[in-house]
Every structure is written in structure tokens, then in C-alpha cells.
Amino acid sequence: MSYRVVVVAAGSGERAGPGGPKQWRRVGGRPVARWSLEAFVDHGAAQVVVVIAAGEHARAAEAFAGLTGWSLVVGGATRTQSVRAGLAALETDDLPILIHDAARPFLKGADIDALLAAVEQADGALPALPVADTLKTHLLGALGVATAPRENLWRAQTPQAFRAAALRAAYAACPADASPTDDAAVVERHGGKVVLTPGDPMLFKLTYPEDFAMAEAMLAAARVTRIGQGFDVHQFGPGDAVWLCGVRVAHGQGLVGHSDADVGLHALTDALLGAMGLGDIGDHFPPTDPKWKGADSAVFLRHAGHLIAERGGSIVNVDVTLICEAPKIKPHREVMRARIAGLLGIDVSRVSVKATTTEQLGFTGRGEGIAAQAVAAVSAPV
């Protein structure tokens, strides 16, 4: 079923402590708001409107780089005002509307499917978890505390799904100064029928500093380290320099290849692609395609890094070994490390570049070309 989405990401997140608005902080290597946007885009939402605070356009564009199918709108001083702004930006039709808080990043397709199925039989639906803790009411004065019954109490989550007409009518009738804490309350107040779907513990809301630590711990428990390896060879030819690990190195010969023949970056690109089971460099950049004639191999490496990030992965470390008699690699090694780190957006401490010879044995020993091998470790979702 097709649907439209409003993602509310306009809050200041003051309770989350220092570090700026929580929706732009990183969890698992990605901005918090990007997690939800990716979930909706991957699930096939017809339209996603992200509501942001004034002045946050540049930060949102950076956080959502590479994703399509979304647009931005500026929200208001309250959540209700922001939701109104998001609804006004949606196309008007009968498609169900989902409203989601960006601070709940770990949304799954199954959560969306359950909501869409439920809203076919009701005006609205929301995921909820039963209250497990004993509830206490804090009374003023000498009375202390009292125990409140927890039967029939549920913890509401988002996204919440609604029939478009019911949601728009409910918000139209909602007083301008009202401050409901969720959208189901608006529809309930207007007489709409709202039902529950099974909640998901992973849909918890990032509110306090400790929530971010818990989120990282949960992600770590649900990740594996994947290893990839790459190997490449290029022969010497005419020229006065070679490109190695993104650095131009003066030499009495060049390397022959369809692109710039950077044997180090080619091996590393294959290692990263291999770690994620994404084929090899030839699958993504065919040597038969004239588009890549003389291309900068940095394009290939960035592409591999981008694919990993798209799939929720993060690069743990990379290790490149260049095999040649000449040129000498050691004088350029630190520049090469810094270049690779910059291309992949990782700290240079995660990058190793080494060199060795074959003791004048084989084609590299005879000075006919250069070989490279690379290993990459990637942390990725299970």
C-alpha cells in the first residue's frame, strides 16, 4: 500500500544534553534523522516531508545526502505546529499518512506494514507496548506516593498511521493552542477510532544522554564484522609518474590501465566491495565503458564507501600493501594514508599503507609492473 509520511525533526532536544539537536547527532555512524528517512524511502513511501527548524536546511541536506524522495519544510515552536506544517506540505489525496518522530531511529519495514494493515479498519493506528513497571503517583505533602493501576495502560510509539481525511479533519478542528503529545490524541478528540499494533522495543525515543549510549550498545550487539580482500596488478608503460593510493609519485614510467591505473585504490575498492558482498570494481565501473577512460580512481573508492554507508555499515580499518621494486613507497606513505582516510571519511589511524618487494622475483621483481593487495574490515548490521 502506498502512503505519505511526515517526519518531525524540528525539536531542540535540550534534554539530550550538549551536542546540538539530537536529530542531527550520529548513532551508529549516521545522523539520527537519516535512519528513519532511509527506512521510509527503502520501504517505498510515495512522499516523505521532513519538518525541520528554521535555519537547519544545510544540516538536513548534509544528513540526507544521497537519498531521494524527500523534501523539507520549516516547522513551528511546538510539535503540533510542526505537524500542521508537514501536513500542509503533503499532496492531498486518500493515501494513508504516517507521522513519525525523528528521535525514534530504528524503524523497520514490518512496523510500517502492521500500521498500514490496521488503518484499513480504523481511522488511525499506532504501535504500543504494555506498561511493565509499577506506576507511582507522587503526592504533595505528607501523603507521599500512591500506586496507580497499570491495567490497560500502553506506551505509545511512532510512527502513527491515519486515514488522510480523518487526520486532516481532526487537525482542522483542533484548537490552535492545544498541545497534544501525539497525533492519535488529536484524532481521538475528534471522535476517530484508533487501534493499537504491536510495539517494538527498538522504537524507543532518544531523549536523554544515556539513551544514545544505549542505542550504540544495541547496535553493536546487532552487528558483525565483515572482512573483504582485494588484489590488483598494472604493468608499466610510458609516463613520468604513477598514481598510488591517490597520490601522484614521480617515476620513470607510468602504469597502464583504462582509468588512472591506481593499483592501490583498485585493490582497496575491491576489498571494501567484497566485505559487503557487492561484487568487484568491474561490476560498478566496467573497463569497456569509455566514461571511465582515464578516470580518477578516487571516484571508485568513494563509491564503495558510499555503498557501505547506505547499508548501515562503517569501516573499521583498511590495510593496503604495495608490491614493487620501485618507486620507493616509504617517503609517500603518510600522504597516502591521509588521502585514503579523507576519501573514506575515516580517521587516519584506521588506515595502513605498507610496501614490500618480491626480492627481484616474478614480474614485479623484474620491474614490469606493480601489484597491490588490500584487506578491509567493515562493521555492518546482521
Side-chain angles (χ1 to χ4, degrees):
M1 180 187 297
S2 191
Y3 57 97
R4 304 192 187 280
V5 182
V6 173
V7 176
V8 184
S12 61
E14 294 179 355
R15 290 178 294 175
K22 59 189 176 184
Q23 60 270 31
W24 310 125
R25 299 188 202 179
R26 290 183 175 268
V27 168
R30 285 184 282 177
V32 169
R34 185 183 179 98
W35 285 86
S36 298
L37 184 57
E38 286 185 359
F40 287 122
V41 170
D42 290 346
H43 193 266
Q47 182 185 10
V48 182
V49 171
V50 183
V51 186
I52 61 172
E56 296 282 27
H57 286 82
R59 185 143 50 176
E62 179 182 1
F64 302 149
L67 297 176
T68 59
W70 55 275
S71 61
L72 300 175
V73 65
V74 174
T78 67
R79 185 186 185 282
T80 302
Q81 292 172 355
S82 293
V83 172
R84 290 184 191 274
L87 289 175
L90 290 180
E91 295 185 25
T92 304
D93 53 28
D94 293 331
L95 292 182
I97 297 174
L98 272 64
I99 302 180
H100 184 55
D101 292 330
R104 298 181 188 269
F106 305 133
L107 174 64
K108 302 183 184 73
D111 301 322
I112 300 172
D113 290 335
L115 288 167
L116 293 175
V119 83
E120 290 184 348
Q121 308 298 324
D123 295 305
L126 68 144
L129 293 170
V131 173
D133 297 323
T134 296
L135 300 178
K136 297 290 184 178
T137 300
H138 185 205
L139 304 175
L140 297 177
L143 295 177
V145 298
T147 301
R150 66 186 181 191
E151 289 76 15
N152 300 318
L153 291 181
W154 298 77
R155 294 160 47 204
Q157 299 178 312
T158 72
Q160 299 182 357
F162 305 93
R163 294 188 180 184
L167 181 63
R168 292 186 185 278
Y171 263 99
C174 184
D177 59 351
S179 55
T181 56
D182 74 353
D183 307 288
V186 178
V187 174
E188 294 160 17
R189 178 173 181 165
H190 194 60
K193 176 184 177 182
V194 177
V195 298
L196 301 182
T197 63
D200 184 347
M202 285 295 288
L203 274 175
F204 70 97
K205 188 175 184 180
L206 300 177
T207 304
Y208 302 105
E210 56 268 27
D211 294 333
F212 285 81
M214 183 171 67
E216 293 287 2
M218 294 174 70
L219 286 175
R223 297 174 75 85
V224 294
T225 299
R226 305 178 63 155
I227 306 298
Q229 63 176 348
F231 182 81
D232 195 39
V233 173
H234 283 284
Q235 64 179 327
F236 283 123
D240 59 0
V242 293
W243 282 95
L244 294 172
C245 295
V247 176
R248 189 179 187 273
V249 178
H251 189 55
Q253 294 175 292
L255 288 172
V256 178
H258 184 64
S259 63
D260 62 5
D262 190 328
V263 66
L265 293 192
H266 291 182
L268 181 53
T269 299
D270 268 351
L272 291 169
L273 293 172
M276 297 297 286
L278 297 174
D280 60 33
I281 195 170
D283 295 326
H284 298 263
F285 305 96
T288 55
D289 188 343
K291 177 181 180 180
W292 307 116
K293 179 69 174 177
D296 182 351
S297 295
V299 173
F300 308 158
L301 189 65
R302 286 196 191 99
H303 177 72
H306 178 68
L307 292 179
I308 289 170
E310 278 188 332
R311 288 155 177 78
S314 58
I315 298 169
V316 178
N317 71 294
V318 298
D319 185 13
V320 180
T321 301
L322 300 170
I323 307 168
C324 59
E325 297 293 327
K328 295 299 183 182
I329 303 302
K330 188 173 182 179
H332 311 282
R333 186 169 60 191
E334 294 309 310
V335 179
M336 292 177 179
R337 293 178 65 209
R339 175 63 170 156
I340 291 172
L343 291 173
L344 293 176
I346 59 178
D347 191 84
V348 71
S349 65
R350 297 174 180 263
V351 179
S352 171
V353 175
K354 308 189 303 293
T356 190
T357 71
T358 55
E359 301 294 338
Q360 299 184 344
L361 298 176
F363 76 90
T364 58
R366 294 189 297 269
E368 297 173 1
I370 298 179
Q373 62 184 24
V375 177
V378 175
S379 175
V382 175

